[in-house]
Amino acid sequence: MRTSAVVKPIVKWIAAALAAAVLAAAPVTPAAQAGGGHHHRPGRPVFAEPLPASLWLPGTAAAHRIRYTSTGFAGRPVVVAGAVFVPEGTAPKRGWPVISWAHGTVGVADPCAQSVGGRSARDVTYLSAWLAAGYAVVATEYEGLGTPGPHPYLHGRSEAYGVVDMVRAARTVERSLSRTWLAVGQSQGGQAVLFTGAMAHRYAPELDYRGAIATAPPSQWRTLIEVARPFEPAAPAIPNVLLALEMLGATHPRTFDPASHLTPAGAEVFARARTEICFTALSQLLAGRTAAEVYAVDAAERERLTRLMEREADIPIVRHREPVFIAQGTADTVVYPPASKTTADKLAAAGSHVTFRFYPGADHSGAMSAALPELLTWAAARVGK
């Protein structure tokens, strides 16, 4: 190996360390950790350090691991974690346009935070393409992943706050980033960016938001639950349901008890999912188990669960001020493909400018790679590349 090939990433890492030194050296007060005390300012970094080189995306020139203030599901200040990736090369005059990345399902336990544990090969390949196209990538962990408090999985408003405030915080830590940004997400993150697009201008008017890209976003929860039949006794136990129960327990602590919807075996798995295991391990743990072995949900409880998911997780059907691109694989067995089309049609009827594409034969993950060339072209037009 050439010496320069070894020295280059080390030099970049040192440069990133120097860039973060001022923020990292400043003590973080308990009030800051709690979200800013009496003067909540969303998007304020409270901690920054260089991201270890082993967690960098290919094509990264500098990277930071940060914590920042945001707004939680209850409307109160929280601290959220995330990572910032700066592309190689010289920044444009007005700075690197920003992709605020909203990741798919990883779990609800703190060890699932990707700024600590790393990302899947699928996501690394996808995000590296955005870096290579000349975008900075800023990646929220959402509320409660790697930070105090529960992660309210699929709670749309909480996710959207984290996506927006990640841009604010990243621009403070890394001065080469532009005000211009797009929200881009997959699966859970696809749902998150469609919530983001509905409130980005109102929540962060100082930023220059240009649109949302959602691949395989879960939506139309009543239809999805009817099709997936997650509580049919003989059906396979769906791990995502456990994660949704965590969200509903956190957001409705006085009226919703996850334990009352679980068998003893399900409660044991649920406890581990909350504290120690991530989605892949959870899926393996439930493999071969039926819904009856894990969930204790009758018809009345199913209806209540459906209504709660519609309230907290269904994508708002409103007019987006900026365009939306929704990409959906036809072979997706996680998200019901016709539901994505229904959501796109309803957003368009509400006055949003929506581009919708089916990608024949693409499964839940495959929609990302299948759509990528078209997404890059669409994004370039949105930011004026």
Side-chain angles (χ1 to χ4, degrees):
M1 179 181 295
R2 294 180 300 169
T3 302
S4 60
V6 177
V7 172
K8 187 177 180 181
I10 294 175
V11 171
K12 290 180 180 177
W13 193 89
I14 293 172
L18 292 173
V22 174
L23 280 167
V28 178
T29 66
Q33 287 280 24
H38 297 295
H39 302 287
H40 177 44
R41 181 162 60 87
R44 179 174 56 85
V46 297
F47 174 80
E49 66 179 0
L51 187 71
S54 61
L55 298 178
W56 286 23
L57 299 169
T60 297
H64 315 273
R65 178 192 284 145
I66 70 173
R67 291 190 177 193
Y68 60 96
T69 57
S70 189
T71 304
F73 64 82
R76 294 190 289 267
V78 293
V79 171
V80 178
V84 181
F85 301 90
V86 182
E88 295 177 333
T90 302
K93 183 177 180 180
R94 296 185 180 180
W96 297 110
V98 176
I99 293 300
S100 191
W101 167 244
H103 64 70
T105 302
V106 296
V108 298
D110 282 341
C112 307
Q114 296 178 307
S115 57
V116 176
R119 302 174 194 279
S120 67
R122 179 200 72 180
D123 287 5
V124 168
T125 298
Y126 185 75
L127 296 178
S128 297
W130 287 100
L131 278 176
Y135 298 87
V137 174
V138 305
T140 184
E141 300 284 9
Y142 308 128
E143 177 182 0
L145 272 177
T147 49
H151 169 48
Y153 174 70
L154 292 174
H155 188 278
R157 293 187 305 280
S158 167
E159 295 167 337
Y161 292 139
V163 170
V164 178
D165 290 329
M166 184 70 219
V167 181
R168 288 168 156 162
R171 294 187 68 243
T172 299
V173 173
E174 179 53 62
R175 299 293 186 177
S176 67
L177 271 55
S178 169
R179 292 175 55 246
T180 301
W181 70 287
L182 293 161
V184 179
Q186 156 69 10
S187 192
Q188 176 189 2
Q191 176 234 19
V193 301
L194 292 176
F195 268 88
T196 299
M199 49 76 82
H201 282 291
R202 181 178 68 255
Y203 185 67
E206 79 282 8
L207 297 176
D208 182 17
Y209 171 70
R210 297 292 183 90
I213 292 173
T215 53
S219 66
Q220 307 300 320
W221 282 95
R222 183 167 296 276
T223 298
L224 183 58
I225 290 170
E226 288 174 356
V227 171
R229 304 173 70 84
F231 306 115
E232 187 73 24
I238 299 175
N240 307 68
V241 174
L242 284 178
L243 307 184
L245 292 179
E246 166 74 346
M247 180 269 282
L248 295 175
T251 54
H252 301 272
R254 297 180 182 178
T255 59
F256 187 88
D257 179 15
S260 67
H261 298 75
L262 297 167
T263 66
E268 182 178 343
V269 176
F270 179 65
R272 295 189 63 191
R274 296 186 69 211
T275 58
E276 63 177 288
I277 61 173
C278 299
F279 188 72
T280 299
L282 175 61
S283 299
Q284 293 170 345
L285 196 59
L286 292 182
R289 300 195 189 193
T290 65
E293 294 177 82
V294 178
Y295 303 115
V297 176
D298 61 22
E301 290 166 330
R302 170 186 152 170
E303 176 60 24
R304 184 178 179 227
L305 281 167
T306 300
R307 291 181 179 180
L308 286 172
M309 291 301 295
E310 287 180 314
R311 173 180 170 179
E312 308 294 3
D314 240 346
I315 292 160
I317 303 302
V318 297
R319 180 184 177 275
H320 287 232
R321 287 178 56 181
E322 301 297 333
V324 172
F325 194 122
I326 299 176
Q328 178 63 57
T330 61
D332 195 333
T333 58
V334 177
V335 167
Y336 184 49
S340 295
K341 181 63 165 61
T342 297
T343 296
D345 290 344
K346 288 185 174 183
L347 287 172
S352 302
H353 180 213
V354 181
T355 300
F356 179 83
R357 294 284 188 273
F358 272 131
Y359 292 89
D363 62 11
H364 191 60
S365 291
M368 295 170 68
S369 57
L372 183 58
E374 192 169 5
L375 299 182
L376 290 172
T377 299
W378 185 89
R382 292 302 309 143
V383 302
K385 277 181 167 287

